[in-house]
Amino acid sequence: MRRHTLKRLSLCAAIGALAITAFAAAPSRAAEDAVIIPPPAVDAQASNGIQTAVIAGGCFWGVQGVFQHTAGVVNAVSGYAGGSKTTADYNMVSTGATGHAESVEIKYDPKKISYGKILQIFFSVAHDPTQLNRQGPDSGTQYRSAIFTANDEQKKVADAYIAQLNAAKVYRKPIVTKVGPLDAFYPAEAYHQDYLTLHPTQPYIAYNDIPKVEALKKIFAENYIEKPTLVSNAKVTN
Protein backbone atom coordinates (compact mmCIF):
# COMPACT_ATOMS: atom_id res chain seq x y z
CA MET A 1 0.00 0.00 0.00
CA ARG A 2 1.48 3.33 -1.01
CA ARG A 3 1.05 6.44 1.09
CA HIS A 4 -1.32 9.22 0.14
CA THR A 5 0.44 11.08 -2.65
CA LEU A 6 -0.59 14.54 -3.73
CA LYS A 7 -2.56 12.98 -6.57
CA ARG A 8 -4.57 11.07 -4.00
CA LEU A 9 -5.33 13.87 -1.58
CA SER A 10 -9.00 13.76 -2.56
CA LEU A 11 -9.12 10.20 -1.23
CA CYS A 12 -7.18 11.35 1.79
CA ALA A 13 -9.74 14.06 2.42
CA ALA A 14 -12.54 11.50 2.18
CA ILE A 15 -11.08 9.52 5.08
CA GLY A 16 -9.67 12.55 6.83
CA ALA A 17 -12.20 12.70 9.63
CA LEU A 18 -11.66 9.04 10.46
CA ALA A 19 -7.86 9.35 10.44
CA ILE A 20 -7.83 12.46 12.60
CA THR A 21 -10.26 10.85 15.05
CA ALA A 22 -7.94 7.86 15.32
CA PHE A 23 -4.97 10.16 15.83
CA ALA A 24 -6.78 12.07 18.55
CA ALA A 25 -7.58 8.82 20.32
CA ALA A 26 -3.95 7.69 20.23
CA PRO A 27 -1.75 10.76 19.70
CA SER A 28 1.39 9.05 20.98
CA ARG A 29 1.22 6.05 18.64
CA ALA A 30 4.52 6.81 16.89
CA ALA A 31 6.02 8.06 20.15
CA GLU A 32 5.26 4.66 21.65
CA ASP A 33 6.87 3.00 18.63
CA ALA A 34 10.00 5.12 19.15
CA VAL A 35 12.82 3.24 20.87
CA ILE A 36 15.13 4.71 23.47
CA ILE A 37 18.60 3.62 22.38
CA PRO A 38 22.15 4.23 23.60
CA PRO A 39 24.34 6.81 21.85
CA PRO A 40 26.95 5.50 19.43
CA ALA A 41 30.16 4.23 21.00
CA VAL A 42 32.01 5.39 17.89
CA ASP A 43 31.34 8.90 16.57
CA ALA A 44 32.79 11.26 14.00
CA GLN A 45 35.41 13.77 15.04
CA ALA A 46 34.18 17.33 15.37
CA SER A 47 35.33 19.45 12.45
CA ASN A 48 35.00 22.97 11.12
CA GLY A 49 32.37 23.95 8.61
CA ILE A 50 28.92 22.65 7.77
CA GLN A 51 28.76 18.90 7.18
CA THR A 52 26.27 16.76 5.24
CA ALA A 53 24.43 13.57 6.13
CA VAL A 54 22.00 11.78 3.80
CA ILE A 55 19.55 9.25 5.21
CA ALA A 56 16.42 7.42 4.04
CA GLY A 57 13.69 6.03 6.24
CA GLY A 58 10.31 5.87 4.57
CA CYS A 59 8.34 8.90 3.47
CA PHE A 60 10.67 11.90 3.44
CA TRP A 61 7.99 14.22 4.85
CA GLY A 62 8.38 12.83 8.38
CA VAL A 63 12.15 12.41 8.34
CA GLN A 64 12.58 15.98 7.10
CA GLY A 65 10.16 17.23 9.76
CA VAL A 66 12.07 15.55 12.58
CA PHE A 67 15.40 17.04 11.58
CA GLN A 68 13.91 20.47 10.96
CA HIS A 69 13.15 20.44 14.69
CA THR A 70 16.68 19.29 15.61
CA ALA A 71 19.16 21.78 17.05
CA GLY A 72 22.37 22.10 15.04
CA VAL A 73 20.68 21.28 11.73
CA VAL A 74 20.91 24.27 9.40
CA ASN A 75 18.91 22.72 6.56
CA ALA A 76 17.03 19.48 5.84
CA VAL A 77 15.91 18.87 2.26
CA SER A 78 13.63 16.12 0.98
CA GLY A 79 14.91 14.39 -2.13
CA TYR A 80 16.14 11.24 -3.80
CA ALA A 81 19.32 9.17 -3.55
CA GLY A 82 20.40 5.82 -4.94
CA GLY A 83 19.42 6.30 -8.58
CA SER A 84 20.26 8.46 -11.56
CA LYS A 85 19.55 12.12 -12.24
CA THR A 86 17.21 11.23 -15.10
CA THR A 87 14.87 9.31 -12.77
CA ALA A 88 14.94 11.71 -9.81
CA ASP A 89 11.28 12.52 -10.28
CA TYR A 90 8.52 11.79 -7.79
CA ASN A 91 6.23 9.96 -10.21
CA MET A 92 9.10 7.80 -11.44
CA VAL A 93 10.53 7.14 -7.97
CA SER A 94 7.06 6.10 -6.77
CA THR A 95 7.15 3.12 -9.14
CA GLY A 96 9.92 1.58 -7.04
CA ALA A 97 11.92 0.81 -10.18
CA THR A 98 14.45 3.67 -10.20
CA GLY A 99 16.84 2.59 -7.45
CA HIS A 100 16.10 5.81 -5.60
CA ALA A 101 15.00 6.02 -1.99
CA GLU A 102 13.03 8.93 -0.64
CA SER A 103 15.85 10.60 1.30
CA VAL A 104 16.71 13.67 3.33
CA GLU A 105 19.91 15.66 2.99
CA ILE A 106 20.85 17.14 6.35
CA LYS A 107 23.26 20.03 6.59
CA TYR A 108 24.51 20.36 10.16
CA ASP A 109 27.01 22.17 12.35
CA PRO A 110 29.29 19.50 13.89
CA LYS A 111 30.08 21.84 16.76
CA LYS A 112 26.43 21.68 17.79
CA ILE A 113 25.42 18.14 16.83
CA SER A 114 27.50 15.13 15.85
CA TYR A 115 27.00 12.70 13.01
CA GLY A 116 26.45 9.97 15.59
CA LYS A 117 23.70 11.96 17.31
CA ILE A 118 21.96 12.41 13.95
CA LEU A 119 22.04 8.62 13.50
CA GLN A 120 20.76 8.09 17.04
CA ILE A 121 17.73 10.30 16.32
CA PHE A 122 17.29 8.59 12.94
CA PHE A 123 17.23 5.11 14.48
CA SER A 124 15.19 6.10 17.54
CA VAL A 125 12.34 8.40 16.48
CA ALA A 126 12.54 9.14 12.74
CA HIS A 127 11.78 5.61 11.52
CA ASP A 128 11.84 1.89 12.31
CA PRO A 129 15.14 0.45 11.00
CA THR A 130 13.90 -3.14 11.24
CA GLN A 131 11.28 -2.81 8.50
CA LEU A 132 12.49 -4.05 5.12
CA ASN A 133 11.49 -1.90 2.15
CA ARG A 134 8.61 -0.29 3.99
CA GLN A 135 7.65 2.15 6.73
CA GLY A 136 4.20 2.06 8.24
CA PRO A 137 1.62 2.15 5.41
CA ASP A 138 4.25 2.71 2.71
CA SER A 139 5.87 -0.20 0.90
CA GLY A 140 8.45 -0.48 -1.86
CA THR A 141 12.21 -0.09 -2.21
CA GLN A 142 11.76 3.69 -2.43
CA TYR A 143 10.83 3.57 1.27
CA ARG A 144 13.82 1.51 2.37
CA SER A 145 16.00 2.31 5.35
CA ALA A 146 19.41 3.51 4.17
CA ILE A 147 22.39 5.63 5.10
CA PHE A 148 24.27 7.19 2.20
CA THR A 149 27.75 7.99 3.44
CA ALA A 150 29.84 10.90 2.21
CA ASN A 151 33.20 9.56 3.41
CA ASP A 152 34.98 6.69 5.14
CA GLU A 153 34.44 8.18 8.60
CA GLN A 154 30.67 8.28 8.16
CA LYS A 155 30.69 4.67 6.96
CA LYS A 156 32.78 3.64 9.98
CA VAL A 157 30.38 5.35 12.40
CA ALA A 158 27.25 3.97 10.70
CA ASP A 159 28.53 0.39 10.48
CA ALA A 160 29.77 0.43 14.07
CA TYR A 161 26.50 1.84 15.38
CA ILE A 162 24.36 -0.74 13.60
CA ALA A 163 26.57 -3.51 14.99
CA GLN A 164 26.34 -1.94 18.46
CA LEU A 165 22.55 -1.72 18.41
CA ASN A 166 22.13 -5.23 17.03
CA ALA A 167 24.46 -6.62 19.70
CA ALA A 168 22.52 -4.79 22.41
CA LYS A 169 19.24 -6.21 21.02
CA VAL A 170 17.44 -2.90 21.48
CA TYR A 171 14.99 -3.96 18.75
CA ARG A 172 13.01 -7.16 18.58
CA LYS A 173 14.27 -7.75 15.04
CA PRO A 174 17.64 -7.10 13.34
CA ILE A 175 18.33 -3.74 11.73
CA VAL A 176 17.96 -3.89 7.94
CA THR A 177 19.37 -0.44 7.20
CA LYS A 178 21.75 -0.48 4.23
CA VAL A 179 24.93 1.57 4.40
CA GLY A 180 26.50 2.64 1.12
CA PRO A 181 28.34 5.51 -0.55
CA LEU A 182 26.47 8.61 -1.62
CA ASP A 183 26.81 9.07 -5.37
CA ALA A 184 24.46 12.03 -5.60
CA PHE A 185 21.48 13.63 -3.89
CA TYR A 186 18.69 15.23 -5.89
CA PRO A 187 16.26 17.62 -4.15
CA ALA A 188 12.60 16.69 -4.51
CA GLU A 189 9.99 18.90 -6.07
CA ALA A 190 9.19 22.15 -4.28
CA TYR A 191 5.76 20.94 -3.11
CA HIS A 192 7.42 18.23 -1.00
CA GLN A 193 9.59 20.66 0.96
CA ASP A 194 8.55 21.72 4.49
CA TYR A 195 5.51 19.49 4.05
CA LEU A 196 5.00 18.60 7.70
CA THR A 197 5.04 22.24 8.78
CA LEU A 198 2.81 23.42 5.95
CA HIS A 199 0.25 20.60 6.28
CA PRO A 200 0.14 19.56 9.97
CA THR A 201 -3.52 18.50 9.82
CA GLN A 202 -3.24 16.48 6.61
CA PRO A 203 -4.33 13.01 7.83
CA TYR A 204 -1.15 11.18 6.77
CA ILE A 205 1.02 13.79 8.51
CA ALA A 206 -1.18 13.99 11.61
CA TYR A 207 -1.27 10.24 12.11
CA ASN A 208 2.20 9.15 11.00
CA ASP A 209 4.60 12.08 11.30
CA ILE A 210 3.55 14.60 13.95
CA PRO A 211 4.05 11.91 16.63
CA LYS A 212 7.67 11.54 15.47
CA VAL A 213 8.31 15.19 16.26
CA GLU A 214 6.57 14.71 19.61
CA ALA A 215 8.86 11.75 20.30
CA LEU A 216 11.91 13.87 19.42
CA LYS A 217 10.77 16.49 21.92
CA LYS A 218 10.23 13.86 24.60
CA ILE A 219 13.26 11.62 24.12
CA PHE A 220 15.80 14.15 22.84
CA ALA A 221 14.68 17.26 24.71
CA GLU A 222 18.18 18.74 24.67
CA ASN A 223 18.30 18.46 20.88
CA TYR A 224 14.77 19.70 20.18
CA ILE A 225 13.91 23.17 18.88
CA GLU A 226 10.34 24.42 18.75
CA LYS A 227 10.67 26.56 15.63
CA PRO A 228 11.54 24.39 12.61
CA THR A 229 14.42 25.23 10.29
CA LEU A 230 12.60 25.40 6.98
CA VAL A 231 14.02 25.01 3.49
CA SER A 232 12.30 28.23 2.52
CA ASN A 233 14.25 30.11 5.20
CA ALA A 234 17.54 28.20 5.30
CA LYS A 235 20.82 30.02 4.79
CA VAL A 236 23.57 27.47 4.32
CA THR A 237 27.25 28.15 3.71
CA ASN A 238 29.73 25.35 3.14
Side-chain angles (χ1 to χ4, degrees), residues 12-166:
C12 190
I15 64 169
L18 178 61
I20 291 176
T21 298
F23 172 67
S28 61
R29 183 190 65 86
E32 292 173 350
D33 291 343
V35 179
I36 297 176
I37 61 177
V42 177
D43 205 342
Q45 294 294 315
S47 56
N48 294 322
I50 302 303
Q51 302 295 309
T52 301
V54 176
I55 54 179
C59 173
F60 44 29
W61 293 343
V63 178
Q64 181 192 45
V66 165
F67 286 99
Q68 288 183 322
H69 282 277
T70 300
V73 172
V74 298
N75 200 15
V77 178
S78 290
Y80 313 108
S84 69
K85 183 178 180 179
T86 57
T87 59
D89 169 85
Y90 183 68
N91 290 329
M92 296 179 72
V93 172
S94 294
T95 67
T98 66
H100 280 295
E102 289 197 12
S103 306
V104 175
E105 179 189 67
I106 300 166
K107 299 283 187 179
Y108 66 98
D109 184 345
K111 293 184 178 180
K112 297 180 180 179
I113 187 171
S114 71
Y115 182 68
K117 177 61 70 173
I118 287 172
L119 295 187
Q120 186 182 12
I121 293 170
F122 173 62
F123 284 127
S124 175
V125 304
H127 85 308
D128 179 352
T130 70
Q131 294 193 49
L132 181 63
N133 295 332
R134 70 173 301 117
Q135 283 294 310
D138 308 321
S139 63
T141 58
Q142 68 272 31
Y143 300 116
R144 66 188 182 272
S145 176
I147 299 170
F148 297 94
T149 57
N151 51 51
D152 290 342
E153 184 178 42
Q154 286 189 357
K155 176 174 172 51
K156 177 182 177 181
V157 173
D159 285 340
Y161 198 25
I162 290 171
Q164 175 189 341
L165 295 176
N166 276 331

Side-chain angles (χ1 to χ4, degrees), residues 35 167 178-179 219:
V35 179
K178 297 296 184 182
V179 179
I219 298 174

